[in-house]
Amino acid sequence: MATLSLTQFLTLDGVHQAPGGPDEDTSSGFTHGGWSVPYGDEDFGRFMDEVFTRPTAFLLGRRTYDIFAGYWPKQTDPANPIATKLNALPKYVASTTLDSVDWEGATLLRGNVVEEVAALKERTEGEIQMHGSAGLARTLLDHDLIDTMHLLVFPVILGTGLRLFAEGVRPTAFRQTDARTTAAGVAIGTYELVGRPRYGSYV
C-alpha cells in the first residue's frame, strides 16, 4: 500500500494561489501570481530535488495537471530530476471536467475521487505525490487520505487569494517530523497524519 504526500507552497496568510507565475491562476481577479519565485534559492531547489527522489507515482488535480502538462513534457534534460520523474512515472489526474489526458503515462480518474484515491493507494506501492492541487487536497484531507504534508511557507503576505485551509476543513492533528528554513526565509515543515486533535485547558 502506498502513502500519499502533499507538497504545497503557502504565504504567511495561507494563500496557495498561483505561486509560479503571473498567468498561472488569475481567477477572482488575483493579481499576485509568481509570489514564490523571488525565494527560489539553492536551499529551496535542494529540498525540491530531495522530494522528487521518492515518488512512485503522482496524483494531480485538473488545474495542476493543465499547468504541469503544458511545461514539463518539454523539459527533456536527463539531469533534471523533477522533469525526469514527472515525465517517466505514472500520473493520475482527478477531474470531472476533462474528457482525456494526453501526457504520456497519465490516467484520468473520473469516479468518486475519495473512492478512487483510496483504491489507488491500495494497489500502489511507495509514495504517491501531490504537488499543489489544493482543491483536491482539501477533499482528501477531509477523508484522512493524505499521510504526509510538506508545507513551504514563504515570508510574504498577500491579503487575497485562495487558501488551502479554508473555513470548514475537517479538524485534523499532525506530528511534525522535519523542519528547516532556507537562506531566503522559506520555512519548510513536514507533518505526518495523526488523527483527530486533542484538547485541554490551561486553567
Side-chain angles (χ1 to χ4, degrees):
M1 180 174 177
T3 59
L4 177 60
S5 69
L6 169 68
T7 300
Q8 187 70 256
F9 300 170
L10 300 171
T11 66
L12 287 172
D13 54 338
V15 174
H16 68 78
Q17 188 172 359
D23 301 321
E24 187 175 299
D25 179 5
T26 59
S27 60
S28 301
F30 189 69
T31 59
H32 302 291
W35 47 266
S36 77
V37 177
Y39 304 96
D41 61 7
E42 290 185 5
D43 292 338
F44 170 81
R46 189 177 301 112
F47 175 79
M48 293 306 298
D49 286 349
E50 288 176 16
V51 169
F52 277 89
T53 64
R54 298 191 299 266
T56 53
F58 296 97
L59 175 64
L60 306 172
R62 195 270 307 169
R63 185 182 296 275
T64 300
Y65 170 77
D66 286 343
I67 295 169
F68 279 22
Y71 177 78
W72 288 109
K74 302 171 187 174
Q75 311 307 309
T76 58
D77 182 356
N80 184 326
I82 297 176
T84 299
K85 290 295 179 71
L86 282 170
N87 288 321
L89 292 177
K91 294 162 283 288
Y92 299 91
V93 184
S95 174
T96 58
T97 58
L98 290 175
D99 294 321
S100 62
V101 287
D102 56 10
W103 191 359
E104 185 176 354
T107 301
L108 191 58
L109 303 179
R110 291 297 302 272
N112 178 288
V113 69
V114 172
E115 295 175 359
E116 292 274 6
V117 172
L120 176 63
K121 290 179 66 176
E122 285 287 346
R123 67 177 185 265
T124 307
E125 298 297 329
E127 180 182 337
I128 304 169
Q129 291 189 355
M130 293 179 62
H131 294 268
S133 305
L136 174 60
R138 280 192 295 271
T139 298
L140 300 182
L141 282 167
D142 282 347
H143 292 83
D144 292 338
L145 286 171
I146 295 178
D147 303 288
T148 304
M149 295 192 304
H150 305 292
L151 301 183
L152 287 76
V153 180
F154 291 73
V156 59
I157 292 173
L158 299 179
T160 184
L162 299 174
R163 287 167 170 79
L164 176 61
F165 302 116
E167 185 173 353
V169 69
R170 184 181 188 182
T172 307
F174 291 83
R175 176 174 61 92
Q176 188 177 54
T177 58
D178 189 36
R180 65 184 85 177
T181 303
T182 70
V186 179
I188 304 173
T190 297
Y191 304 89
E192 303 289 343
L193 176 67
V194 172
R196 304 282 70 78
R198 299 167 58 191
Y199 303 96
S201 172
Y202 288 111
V203 177

